[in-house]
Amino acid sequence: MTVEQIFINAKVDSKKIERFEYNGRPHIKVPSYTLPFGVIMNSGLYEKSTIEANYQKLEGTFAPLGHPMKDGKYISAREPEAVNKFHVGAWNRNVRLEGNRVYLEKWIDIEVAQRTKDGRRVLD
């Protein structure tokens, strides 16, 4: 079996980014799409039935910069090592299915993002 690795370049429509106050702090909302049906990601196949049954679990989860890894293996964004190394003040909100993929919003706490080099890079 031949495996092909594909790198995806994400593009952001800056006109759709919103700034707002949440819990008394400045935030940014970035619309995002992920998990098209049948995608291979992080060495696993995500079939339509699996995505439909589980996409709601993304609501309120961390949205790290890159997929967290430890010792060369993928780990959950909830793991302490992932939070310490990959968290940039972002999490997922308003998760829903749109067509053949998952729509969600990345909510970014600006004050938290400014605390790290990667967080500042996200804000730029």
Side-chain angles (χ1 to χ4, degrees), residues 2-8 74:
T2 302
V3 176
E4 182 178 342
Q5 188 170 11
I6 299 172
F7 295 93
I8 298 172
Y74 294 111

Side-chain angles (χ1 to χ4, degrees), residues 84-96:
N84 290 344
K85 188 172 180 183
F86 294 87
H87 184 58
V88 292
W91 73 97
N92 299 310
R93 295 285 307 257
N94 300 317
V95 178
R96 64 180 181 259

Side-chain angles (χ1 to χ4, degrees), residues 10-102:
K11 296 182 181 179
V12 176
D13 183 350
S14 61
K15 290 177 264 180
K16 294 185 179 183
I17 295 173
E18 296 178 38
R19 292 180 176 269
F20 62 102
E21 292 283 320
Y22 179 73
N23 282 338
R25 295 162 62 107
H27 283 68
I28 296 174
K29 182 189 313 179
V30 181
S32 178
Y33 290 92
T34 189
L35 288 173
F37 299 155
V39 70
I40 296 175
M41 187 166 42
N42 305 329
S43 304
L45 172 63
Y46 291 80
E47 296 180 6
K48 177 182 178 182
S49 60
T50 302
I51 293 170
E52 288 177 331
N54 295 287
Y55 75 92
Q56 304 95 331
K57 294 177 183 175
L58 289 170
E59 183 70 33
T61 57
F62 288 116
L65 183 61
H67 197 296
M69 296 185 84
K70 177 181 172 185
D71 301 325
K73 296 182 181 172
Y74 294 111
I75 60 173
S76 167
R78 293 182 302 269
E79 295 288 328
E81 295 92 340
V83 174
N84 290 344
K85 188 172 180 183
F86 294 87
H87 184 58
V88 292
W91 73 97
N92 299 310
R93 295 285 307 257
N94 300 317
V95 178
R96 64 180 181 259
L97 284 179
E98 281 193 9
N100 70 336
R101 59 189 178 171
V102 176

